[in-house]
Amino acid sequence: MKSKKIYLVRHGQTDYNLRGVVQGSGIDAPLNETGRTQAEGFFQTYKDVPFDKVYTSTLQRTVQSVQKFLDLGLPHEQLSGLNEINWGTREGMKITPEEDAYYHSVIREWQNGNTTLRIEGGESPQDVFDRQKVALEHILSKEDEELILICMHGRAMRVFLCQMLNYPLHCMDLFEHSNLCLYKLSYTGSMFSIENFNDICHLQA
């Protein structure tokens, strides 16, 4: 396979993010004003990068985060494999240690290596990994796409980075993220490496 550069970003802020409420794949929230400002900052910094293709999840917050690139006429494909993890019964809930000990116990189980454990009514990290594998193979198969912009979600991004970098899934929380952060990766045709890690310089301009 040909070498590629991938600009991997998390979507901008939504009101759910602002309030500390779990979204997951079942809540299709739009960006709020802050999120739209973050998207504008990213666009202004990277608008001259000659991307060959833009990939997003099927949820509107990822599309809205890169809409100005799409307005330039760049090819765009939505892949459900890039959707956020399904948080099951916890979607729509405000999560604090006091209010939801169960949620935090599941996260600890994942960190301890039990990455096939599904949160109640939802997915496990392994479930997400498996559907992302299909999406990543699809993206890498496009040999004419050498400079790629991908917009997805926080937990899903952590799983995706483990997949690309061959990290064990229980290490996914090593990959910090914030709204509209950038991970820039190089692909040699056989392996990935990170050039930029949780980069938010474009939000500080």
Side-chain angles (χ1 to χ4, degrees):
M1 289 186 181
K2 284 189 176 180
S3 62
K4 297 179 186 291
K5 290 273 189 186
I6 293 181
Y7 288 64
L8 177 65
V9 297
R10 186 188 175 203
H11 64 79
Q13 189 187 85
T14 69
D15 282 340
Y16 283 79
N17 295 141
L18 184 62
R19 302 198 315 266
V21 176
V22 174
Q23 292 176 102
S25 61
I27 293 180
D28 194 12
L31 299 186
N32 62 17
E33 183 176 352
T34 296
R36 291 190 292 272
T37 300
Q38 292 167 337
E40 178 67 21
F42 181 76
F43 176 73
Q44 290 300 329
T45 302
Y46 293 103
K47 63 185 177 182
D48 294 325
V49 176
F51 292 114
D52 296 309
K53 184 78 168 280
V54 180
Y55 290 92
T56 67
S57 78
T58 63
L59 301 169
Q60 64 174 327
R61 55 192 182 269
T62 62
V63 179
Q64 291 172 355
S65 296
V66 295
Q67 184 60 53
K68 288 209 167 181
F69 292 94
L70 306 184
D71 292 344
L72 297 175
L74 293 176
H76 172 219
E77 188 170 353
Q78 293 179 281
L79 299 176
S80 60
L82 300 178
N83 283 0
E84 179 60 301
I85 191 170
N86 185 325
W87 286 110
T89 59
R90 267 49 197 174
E91 292 189 349
M93 290 183 63
K94 186 174 177 63
I95 300 299
T96 68
E98 298 77 19
E99 291 174 344
D100 201 343
Y102 167 71
Y103 172 90
H104 290 279
S105 72
V106 171
I107 300 296
R108 285 193 299 273
E109 282 290 313
W110 292 348
Q111 292 169 341
N112 290 333
N114 189 6
T115 53
T116 60
L117 175 68
R118 293 186 175 104
I119 199 159
E120 183 182 25
E123 291 181 296
S124 70
Q126 187 63 51
D127 292 330
V128 178
F129 184 97
D130 291 342
R131 60 174 164 82
Q132 286 182 354
K133 186 172 187 291
V134 176
L136 182 60
E137 288 173 351
H138 173 74
I139 292 168
L140 295 182
S141 72
K142 306 296 184 179
E143 292 197 354
D144 57 330
E145 298 169 11
E146 297 181 19
L147 199 50
I148 300 166
L149 174 60
I150 301 175
C151 187
M152 52 190 306
H153 308 264
R155 178 61 58 175
M157 178 185 283
R158 286 174 159 162
V159 173
F160 204 47
L161 286 163
C162 285
Q163 176 132 213
M164 289 190 286
L165 297 164
N166 292 317
Y167 274 54
L169 258 182
H170 71 266
C171 295
M172 59 188 159
D173 288 310
L174 293 173
F175 298 109
E176 298 177 355
H177 60 73
S178 54
N179 286 119
L180 230 304
C181 69
L182 167 68
Y183 278 82
K184 188 175 172 184
L185 300 105
S186 290
Y187 179 64
T188 64
S190 60
M191 63 182 294
F192 283 95
S193 60
I194 292 181
E195 295 182 7
N196 294 55
F197 183 101
N198 194 26
D199 184 354
I200 56 170
C201 291
H202 48 277
L203 304 182
Q204 300 164 346

